[in-house]
Amino acid sequence: MRRRDAAPPRSARGFTLIELLVALALISLIAGALAPLGIRNLRASQIEKTRTRMDALVRGMIGDSARDDFGYLGDLGALPPALSDLNDATGKPAFAVNASDGVGYGWAGPYAPNIAAAGAAIVDAWSVGFQYNAATAQLRSAGPDRAFATADD
C-alpha cells in the first residue's frame, strides 16, 4: 500500500530550474544567430523594391519600346520637371493625334500609377522621396541610411 504523503515520482514533478535555464539559453542563441540573417534579408528586399520602383519611374519617363509605350518624354516632348508630374495632368494638353502626319502629342498618363496615386509623394522603400534632376535626368534613392550623398545611394 502506498502512503499519501509520499513525493510523486520524478516524471510527474516537471522541469527543474536548471533545465528551464538551459532551454532558454538555447532559444536565445538560436534567435541571436537568426536575427542578422532576417535583417539582411529585409534590407535586400527593400533594395530590390526600390530598384523596381526606379525602373518603373524610368519606364514612365522615357517609355518602353517593347510595349509600344512612349512614356512622358515621347508624349510631351520633354522629361517631367518633377516626379509628381508623372501622375498629374494639371496644365498639360490632352493627348491628340495630328490628322496631317498621324503623330500624337499630349498627356496620355498617368505614367507611374503603380508607384503612387496622383498627388501622393513618390518614395522609395524607406519612405524617403526620390531625388530627381530633370536637367541631368538623374534619379536617386537615399538608400538604407535615408540620407543622400552617402555610399549607399
Side-chain angles (χ1 to χ4, degrees), residues 42-119:
L42 175 64
R43 185 176 183 167
S45 71
Q46 289 174 319
I47 290 170
E48 184 59 33
K49 184 177 182 180
T50 297
R51 285 184 180 150
T52 301
R53 286 183 181 180
M54 291 176 82
D55 288 343
L57 288 170
V58 169
R59 278 193 310 277
M61 285 189 267
I62 64 172
D64 184 356
S65 60
R67 295 184 320 168
D68 202 29
D69 174 22
F70 302 105
Y72 189 100
L73 176 64
D75 290 344
L76 293 165
L79 288 170
L83 289 178
S84 59
D85 289 324
L86 290 171
N87 291 334
D88 185 10
T90 305
K92 298 171 187 77
F95 188 82
V97 176
N98 185 333
S100 63
D101 61 10
V103 175
Y105 176 82
W107 173 262
Y111 297 95
N114 296 333
I115 304 300

Side-chain angles (χ1 to χ4, degrees), residues 3 48 71 88 123 134 136 147 150:
R3 291 181 33 191
E48 184 59 33
D88 185 10
V123 297
T136 61
T150 58

